[in-house]
Amino acid sequence: MKSLLWAFWYILPAYFANASPVLVGGGKPIDGGKTWKDGRRILGDGKTWRGFIGGVAIGTAVGAIQYFVTPHFYGSANTAILLAFALSFGALFGDLVGSFFKRRANLPRGHPAIGLDQLGFLISALAFAYPIKTLDSGQIIFLLVISPFIHWGANYFAYKMGWKSVPW
Ligand code: CTP
Ligand code: MG
């Protein structure tokens, strides 16, 4: 039980990084408005520099706060911040890869892609964080199971708050 709580604590920067672009995003799209060989947008207007950089900054800041709450879990402030940066960068990089595949599948911006939307960012975050601090397989399975529910809950909340036009 305790180890599952630690898994949740470990992944928090990735959740924050993935959720914050809804609030801090907007402006210039990362793909610069360009299209791929198939004539469709490379990533689309839903992936912006402000969202990406803001999300990485917020996720990394969460890690700095976490270090003050549980320093023994990280060992050093450097580890805590580096881990949070890797989780946040990984989450938002995975989010871009997901959008790239959504556009190739001809899904418009904001269209749901079950599985990809809920787990793509998580798997990418775990992969980027792997060299810094790892979880055991039980903890990873736990995160794979709970993350879709947290993702749906957070999106529904953002929709109810009027931050998002669709509840997914
Ligand atoms: N967002 C952003 N920059 C990012 C990621 C997200 O500005 N790098 C903002 C956009 O306003 C986006 C919103 O956060 O519409 C929700 O993110 P997400 O659900 O990932 O994007 P979608 O609009 O659903 O686009 P896609 O179909 O490409 O997933
Ligand atoms: Mg979406």
Side-chain angles (χ1 to χ4, degrees), residues 47 102 110-112 117 151 155 164 166 168:
K47 303 294 124 144
K102 283 170 77 172
H111 194 282
D117 283 342
H151 191 269
N155 279 302
K164 238 174 159 289
V166 288
W168 51 76

Side-chain angles (χ1 to χ4, degrees), residues 55-168:
V56 171
I58 290 170
T60 306
V62 167
I65 295 166
Q66 285 180 299
Y67 175 70
F68 281 101
V69 181
T70 58
H72 63 282
F73 180 64
Y74 299 101
S76 73
N78 267 352
T79 304
I81 288 164
L82 193 64
L83 177 66
F85 177 79
L87 286 166
S88 303
F89 186 90
L92 287 173
F93 179 79
D95 180 56
L96 296 185
V97 173
S99 288
F100 176 79
F101 286 118
K102 283 170 77 172
R103 299 300 90 80
R104 304 290 70 73
N106 206 12
L107 299 175
R109 171 193 177 178
H111 194 282
I114 306 280
L116 192 62
D117 283 342
Q118 296 79 19
L119 294 177
F121 82 93
L122 175 73
I123 292 165
S124 176
L126 290 171
F128 274 78
Y130 188 78
I132 301 155
K133 188 172 171 65
T134 55
L135 297 175
D136 64 41
S137 53
Q139 290 175 309
I140 291 172
I141 291 166
F142 170 71
L143 292 179
L144 288 169
V145 172
I146 66 161
S147 293
F149 297 103
I150 290 169
H151 191 269
W152 285 319
N155 279 302
Y156 186 73
F157 176 73
Y159 168 73
K160 280 288 175 194
M161 295 299 287
W163 299 337
K164 238 174 159 289
S165 55
V166 288
W168 51 76

Side-chain angles (χ1 to χ4, degrees), residues 21 24-30 44-53 96:
V24 301
K28 226 173 130 15
I30 293 173
D45 284 331
K47 303 294 124 144
T48 68
W49 284 112
R50 232 167 59 202
F52 189 91
I53 293 164
L96 296 185

